[in-house]
Amino acid sequence: MLDETLENRIGTFTCHNGEKAALPFTAQEYDRRLAGLRSVMAARGIDAVLFTSMHNIAYYSGFLYCSFGRPYGCVVTQDDCTTVSANIDAGQPWRRSVGDNVIFTDWKRNNYWRAVGQLMKNARRIGIETDHMTLAARDLLAEFLGTVEVVDIAADTMAQRMVKSAEEIALIRQGATVADVGGEAIHAAIREGASELEIAMEGRNAMEREIAARFPSAEYRDTWVWFQSGINTDGAHNPVTNRRLIRGDILSLNTFPMISGYYTALERTLFLGEPDAASLRIWEANVKAHELGISLIRPGATCSGICAEINRFFADEGLLEYRSFGYGHSFGILSHYYGREAGLELREDIHTVLEPGMVISMEPMLWIPEGQPGAGGYREHDILVVGEDSSENITKFPYGPGHNVIAA
């Protein structure tokens, strides 16, 4: 009897609960994005696209999901843009998306795929993100959608996201300013005996308050700080610990405000007390590489070409072997959880030509292993907007020994 009751439970439904909320961008901006996607779909003969990643669903619909073990999606056709969400989220996905929404329930396994199948029932050629969809999900797609032709749309969407609109750049500018606010709060909190965690909390709290003041209608999530000291500076993504600062420490300040899925960042090297001669030499060399890199970011430059110039500088300084990673990356709808415009990274194997509307960081890092003179990780990070003739640095927090040696 129970099995029969469950079998007849509803699998999918719609619920327009409340009113549409203010999205990060105007309706015209989402129309522009969808028009660009639909142009690609028409050119490639794609009837419908199923997005499964957080970044593409948010980019095209405005909705940034929280998976918690459940699948989410967004189906785009030439006429509609519909998010697919779990019943646990109720009406919030509809309120926070530009189009319609279908909810699937947990009463029967694979109701998500039934919802997707209903939305794509007439499609014969569909686009998916092969860099995100798992093999298990691909098998279920074949089971529930039948004999459809599946093609990869990920590279096309990444190319579209790499060039920002005026609205996106306006939001990124505000994010860069918020990152600077977090940096100032951290700078003021640094003192001998304080823990990485205590100092990081000051920066995070300052940024969240600033985001709320600038974006009162937004949802607030995922803003964070990595404040590293001593040996913990060796990795760019080392999490915060409870280590307490001591005189002579090298420090790394990293603030990351998240505004409606859009990531911005500020990263700076500091010292608690005067650095020794070896540390100062390496720090100043990294600052010079940073300034060289900033001067190279302009329309027409290539990612690989920029890398080659900075590599030559470090080689001349005898420091190339200590370079830690590529020199920068794209900005937009991404975070440490999701998204990456891999086609716009300052690496030797990326030959993308910079063009107006791209937003990219300059962030050289040198890592000197423990036990060697000047041990630690040195990193500076600014955000640049590529314009018609040059680029604009929208990060304003000072870098280098003149500002970032903290009196012990």
Side-chain angles (χ1 to χ4, degrees), residues 189-203:
I190 294 172
R191 66 187 187 281
E192 189 172 4
S195 71
E196 292 178 2
L197 177 60
E198 292 167 348
I199 296 169
M201 289 168 65
E202 293 295 324

Side-chain angles (χ1 to χ4, degrees), residues 9 272 282:
R9 291 274 188 174
L272 182 57
I282 297 162

Side-chain angles (χ1 to χ4, degrees), residues 261-291:
Y262 275 70
Y263 162 110
T264 48
L266 165 71
E267 300 173 10
R268 291 289 183 260
T269 299
L270 311 92
F271 272 82
L272 182 57
E274 290 293 332
D276 58 42
S279 298
L280 185 60
R281 183 185 84 83
I282 297 162
W283 189 6
E284 289 179 336
N286 202 57
V287 165
K288 288 178 182 178
H290 183 59
E291 292 174 339

